[in-house]
Amino acid sequence: MKIFFSIFYNKYVLAIAFFVVWMLFIDQRDVFYVWQQKHQLQALQLKKQYYEAQIKQVQSDLDNLQHNPAAIEKFAREKYLMKKPNEDVFIVQGDVFHN
């Protein structure tokens, strides 16, 4: 029992214990802050991957539009509802037939 108290009251053990408590709970960048920042970094990396994939898709579409006249016509018909002369365009919304 006396050995336990002598180890616990040792100045080095107290200093190390104080340092550990300080770094885990009291410091500005404690364990919880680092954990939160790590998860935020992972979320941002996922967003980065998503946007990089979107950039590749848009660049591919742009290249296709610049070199393929059929793609230009398809894009104009789908996005801007353009039509050829003597042609009718009917727009059907998906939830019209839903009961």
Side-chain angles (χ1 to χ4, degrees), residues 39-81:
H39 285 286
Q40 186 177 7
L41 177 64
Q42 290 173 349
L44 289 173
Q45 286 174 340
L46 287 174
K47 282 185 179 181
K48 179 184 173 188
Q49 290 175 354
Y50 169 77
Y51 287 123
E52 285 176 346
Q54 290 296 318
I55 288 171
K56 286 181 183 179
Q57 178 64 35
V58 168
Q59 286 176 343
S60 172
D61 291 344
L62 178 63
D63 185 48
N64 191 22
L65 286 173
Q66 288 177 342
H67 295 57
N68 190 354
I72 294 173
E73 182 179 347
K74 180 182 176 192
F75 181 78
R77 286 175 174 268
E78 289 177 357
K79 299 292 182 182
Y80 296 109
L81 303 175

Side-chain angles (χ1 to χ4, degrees), residues 1 3-4 8 14 47 50 59 61-62 77 80 83 86 88 90 95 97-99:
M1 187 86 163
I3 295 173
F4 176 73
F8 185 69
L14 287 174
K47 282 185 179 181
Y50 169 77
Q59 286 176 343
D61 291 344
L62 178 63
R77 286 175 174 268
Y80 296 109
K83 63 181 186 125
N86 298 327
D88 293 329
F90 295 98
D95 59 348
F97 299 108
H98 185 67
N99 290 333

